[in-house]
Amino acid sequence: MRRKLIVLFLLLLLIFGVLCTADPSVRVVDNPWLVLRAFLVSYPEKISGVDYDANLKDWFLTIGDERLYWADGRLLPLAEIGNREKWRPYVDYFYPEQIPDPAGFSADTIERLNARVLAENRISSTVYNIRFYDLLYEGSTRRRIESNITRIDYLGTRVSVHVDIVPLLRKVESRLNDLAERDQEVKTFISSISSIEGYNWREIADSPSRSNHSWGIAIDILPINWGKKNIYWNWVSYWNDKWMLIPLERRWIPPAAVISAFEEEGFIWGGKWLLWDNMHFEYRPELLTLKKWGYKGDLQE
């Protein structure tokens, strides 16, 4: 018993030390134990443990009876470890505290964004291996994932989502309805919702990856009228190659209280991405767990 207490004490000291020395300039991929612990904390009913494989000299997490290895952040099954360069790390940026303001963008940031758009628009090797989400949401095929999709009434409209996130969406809805009774901005936001798009089996052309909408863990909230403002970078980029410099006041942005309500239940908002998608919320609690632990950035890499 005493030995167990000592081990627990040392583990707590390690966690405390990590949290106190968390440096946002350190790349996420360099902290396998920390990031995998964030996954474990964020999906406790899905992930049964995090451990180290001494033979392969790599960390792994366990879902059901399958191991997914860290593999420089790729979360790969054993058979794919040798192909790690083919895949993009699952957690490759820190979720920002604030909306990135283009007024402060450097020439390097603009150049990097242009390069990234070019990469996104061609067949790229840097996509996520979908095995992690297939295990997490039981969705290796369209038929299997659709057995877990349900259609609900939500914020005055209808949306199809994965059953796992329904209780969380309900908590957000309850919080927003309470806020609407005393916050006119939130009340106006709710009344202006035109539609909410959720589950959509989106296979990305010429790619082994899929959109998060394909698991029903992302929603797009579309307003009736966004007042001639801009809502999604890609729609703007067709006619404006300076889309990344569009000022925040010219973008449609949900009230801060709405964004916070979603974040408190594990949903990140696409308006904090450099490739901004202001109608988009998706369930990524591991990013918010890392942010709570002190890992947060000013810009999405």
Side-chain angles (χ1 to χ4, degrees):
M1 182 64 179
R2 184 179 178 183
R3 184 177 180 181
K4 289 182 178 179
L5 289 173
I6 292 173
V7 170
L8 178 60
F9 177 71
L10 291 174
L11 181 59
L12 290 173
L13 280 179
L14 177 59
I15 295 172
F16 182 75
V18 168
L19 299 185
C20 290
T21 59
D23 179 359
S25 67
V26 178
R27 294 189 310 140
V28 182
V29 75
D30 293 332
N31 295 276
W33 183 86
L34 179 75
V35 179
L36 292 180
R37 290 295 299 178
F39 276 108
L40 182 62
V41 168
S42 302
Y43 304 97
E45 296 180 358
K46 301 283 187 174
I47 299 173
S48 58
V50 170
D51 211 334
Y52 185 77
D53 189 318
N55 292 323
L56 293 178
K57 297 180 180 179
D58 202 3
W59 292 87
F60 65 88
L61 56 79
T62 304
I63 303 178
D65 57 359
E66 185 166 339
R67 291 181 177 184
L68 292 181
Y69 286 85
W70 174 247
D72 296 324
R74 272 72 173 181
L75 300 185
L76 299 179
L78 182 61
E80 278 292 326
I81 290 179
N83 299 320
R84 70 183 65 195
E85 296 305 321
K86 177 181 177 181
W87 307 107
R88 178 178 176 177
Y90 262 96
V91 177
D92 57 355
Y93 76 98
F94 299 111
Y95 186 64
E97 187 72 48
Q98 305 296 330
I99 305 171
D101 189 343
F105 285 3
S106 66
D108 179 67
T109 297
I110 295 170
E111 182 180 352
R112 182 158 47 88
L113 275 172
N114 283 325
R116 181 170 175 182
V117 169
L118 288 174
E120 295 277 347
N121 289 336
R122 66 172 182 261
I123 300 174
S124 173
S125 62
T126 54
V127 295
Y128 302 112
N129 183 289
I130 61 177
R131 187 57 181 163
F132 175 62
Y133 276 172
D134 280 348
L135 291 171
L136 207 61
Y137 298 110
E138 301 176 15
S140 56
T141 66
R142 182 170 185 170
R143 182 175 181 179
R144 290 192 65 182
I145 195 65
E146 289 186 350
S147 69
N148 290 303
I149 298 297
T150 185
R151 191 161 179 80
I152 62 172
D153 293 309
Y154 194 68
L155 293 173
T157 185
R158 299 272 284 170
V159 63
S160 296
V161 294
H162 196 285
V163 292
D164 283 1
I165 70 168
V166 171
L168 302 165
L169 287 174
R170 289 296 184 212
K171 289 181 181 180
V172 175
E173 183 180 43
S174 177
R175 183 177 285 118
L176 293 182
N177 286 333
D178 289 343
L179 284 170
E181 294 181 2
R182 57 185 185 278
D183 187 325
Q184 184 59 45
E185 192 178 21
V186 174
K187 183 177 181 180
T188 300
F189 168 81
I190 294 174
S191 65
S192 70
I193 294 174
S194 170
S195 63
I196 302 179
E197 305 298 326
Y199 168 72
N200 184 357
W201 184 268
R202 296 181 187 174
E203 292 183 322
I204 301 173
D206 301 310
S207 169
S209 189
R210 297 202 300 268
S211 159
N212 278 5
H213 285 277
S214 296
W215 286 277
I217 60 170
I219 62 172
D220 292 337
I221 300 178
L222 289 160
I224 295 171
N225 183 347
W226 48 87
K228 298 183 179 179
K229 292 190 175 184
N230 303 280
I231 198 167
Y232 179 37
W233 78 271
N234 200 23
W235 293 348
V236 179
S237 67
Y238 286 107
W239 54 269
N240 183 353
D241 60 2
K242 299 297 183 183
W243 56 268
M244 76 289 291
L245 296 178
I246 292 174
L248 298 183
E249 60 267 21
R250 287 174 50 196
R251 303 180 191 178
W252 177 82
I253 297 177
V258 172
I259 297 168
S260 294
F262 275 97
E263 289 178 341
E264 287 172 14
E265 297 302 333
F267 294 86
I268 61 171
W269 174 55
K272 290 185 178 179
W273 296 337
L274 288 177
L275 298 182
W276 42 276
D277 187 351
N278 290 21
M279 58 187 163
H280 185 85
F281 293 88
E282 68 181 41
Y283 189 59
R284 291 292 304 277
E286 67 278 9
L287 295 181
L288 293 163
T289 296
L290 286 167
K291 186 165 78 73
K292 289 177 182 176
W293 290 354
Y295 282 79
K296 54 193 174 186
D298 296 324
L299 297 177
Q300 179 204 14
E301 295 301 326

